[in-house]
Amino acid sequence: MQAKIIDGKAVAERIRGELKVRAAEFEKKSGRKSGLAVVLVGADPASQVYVRNKIAGCEQAGINSLAHYLDADTTQDALEALIDKLNADKNVDGILVQLPLPKHLDERRVLSRVAVGKDVDGFHAENAGALMLGEDCLAACTPSGSIELIKSTGVDMAGKNAVVIGRSNIVGKPVALLLLRENCTVTICHSKTQNIAQIAKTADILVAAIGKKEFVTGDMIKPGAIVIDVGINRHEGKLYGDVNFEEAAKLASHITPVPGGVGPMTIVMLLSNTLKAAELSLKAGR
Ligand code: GUN
């Protein structure tokens, strides 16, 4: 079998079209544009690229973007004071604090300082908890984008064995909960798991979010599986996923490439969450 490529750029483009319509409708109803505030502390080059792309994505969709660039030695108090200001700003519907933060800052405290209703990253403890309870909430963007890509294959997820490799708060844990919400039988593997290859091979849906170049090899793929590669590993100027694409594509039914798979979805899900936050605040009369 040669896998069908899941074209993340095309799926993202379709969703971007829908978001433009929603953004215009919100503007008509509320008399203002929806707005996303992006906070970057320090000058990490990869984070700078991500922030630039998020701002460009807002412009394309008709969402206002407000970027706040802070020095690397910004204090916890100063960062929290900015977040408080953005929490109170009626023109700001979503707040994103780009990670990783410099080591002297307490990331968990910063993320839970963001108002729950403006937490478009879905990293606030209350949104993470709501996801665990299966409630409608602002869910993390890369995991939501991965689910959209699986849905784009047209394959019914209910009852499928889903294996997630990786247990990070940003991807592994939330994507496992979203797969559960879609009625998959979910297994999470991590660095201490024994027999990862054997477990991965039981997966009808395999999500690789380990952060190790080409960790998943052909012998770990069940014939006909859907393979979602969340990895972005830079090596000698080239991008690699967590999956050995050549080997996996010979066995999978559908597979995401790197780049051009999950990556383009993260930004559209962020914009989607921003509009959801804006629509909810309008409905609540805030
Ligand atoms: N750094 C890497 N991925 C992400 C993400 O999804 N959100 C934020 N805020 N920072 C990140």
Side-chain angles (χ1 to χ4, degrees):
M1 183 185 284
Q2 187 65 32
K4 282 190 189 145
I5 310 270
I6 303 175
D7 184 348
K9 277 192 202 159
V11 178
E13 195 52 45
R14 170 178 57 76
I15 296 176
R16 217 189 314 277
E18 295 164 7
L19 293 176
K20 261 189 186 172
V21 175
R22 265 171 75 192
E25 273 172 9
F26 174 82
E27 192 174 346
K28 215 163 101 187
K29 275 194 209 150
S30 68
R32 67 168 180 90
K33 273 194 167 168
S34 49
L36 173 69
V38 182
V39 180
L40 175 61
V41 186
D44 175 68
S47 291
Q48 284 176 327
V49 173
Y50 292 138
V51 165
R52 213 178 307 134
N53 290 342
K54 286 167 185 175
I55 288 167
C58 282
E59 272 166 31
Q60 283 170 11
I63 296 171
N64 254 343
S65 61
L66 312 102
H68 294 265
Y69 298 100
L70 305 180
D71 291 337
D73 62 358
T74 297
T75 62
Q76 183 85 23
D77 284 351
L79 179 54
E80 289 185 11
L82 172 62
I83 293 171
D84 289 347
K85 203 174 100 194
L86 297 172
N87 282 341
D89 188 335
K90 287 199 172 1
N91 289 311
V92 173
D93 299 292
I95 301 169
L96 177 138
V97 181
Q98 187 65 31
L99 303 179
L101 287 170
K103 293 267 176 293
H104 68 282
L105 296 169
D106 181 339
E107 190 168 290
R108 200 36 30 229
R109 247 178 69 199
V110 168
L111 295 178
S112 284
R113 189 82 176 198
V114 174
V116 177
K118 297 192 180 189
D119 170 37
V120 285
D121 251 332
F123 293 165
H124 190 291
E126 206 170 313
N127 276 320
L131 182 64
M132 203 212 65
L133 295 174
E135 290 171 1
D136 184 30
C137 60
L138 292 167
C141 302
T142 302
S144 306
S146 301
I147 299 294
E148 287 297 323
L149 290 181
I150 299 168
K151 284 186 178 165
S152 79
T153 66
V155 173
D156 183 13
M157 279 187 261
K160 295 286 190 300
N161 285 335
V163 174
V164 178
I165 312 183
R167 57 171 159 180
S168 70
N169 290 335
I170 293 184
V171 182
K173 284 185 217 167
V175 86
L177 289 166
L178 288 170
L179 287 162
L180 187 61
R181 188 189 270 184
E182 298 296 334
N183 299 312
C184 292
T185 302
V186 185
T187 306
I188 305 177
C189 297
H190 49 78
S191 55
K192 298 285 190 286
T193 300
Q194 292 175 8
N195 309 326
I196 288 193
Q198 216 175 313
I199 297 168
K201 208 162 176 160
T202 66
D204 302 308
I205 298 169
L206 182 65
V207 179
I210 315 126
K212 282 192 184 157
K213 172 178 172 280
E214 299 185 330
F215 178 89
V216 175
T217 44
D219 58 311
M220 296 164 76
I221 307 286
K222 177 177 177 178
I226 297 174
V227 178
I228 305 294
D229 189 350
V230 183
I232 303 178
N233 307 289
R234 277 168 232 276
H235 181 72
E236 294 175 353
K238 225 184 129 200
L239 283 188
Y240 293 85
D242 288 349
V243 177
N244 182 316
F245 183 86
E246 296 274 302
E247 291 182 16
K250 289 198 182 102
L251 292 152
S253 63
H254 301 81
I255 187 167
T256 61
V258 176
V262 175
M265 294 300 291
T266 298
I267 295 183
V268 289
M269 298 322 288
L270 170 69
L271 304 178
S272 173
N273 274 350
T274 304
L275 283 168
K276 182 173 178 174
E279 288 157 359
L280 285 174
S281 82
L282 183 64
K283 216 163 139 191
R286 272 179 257 131

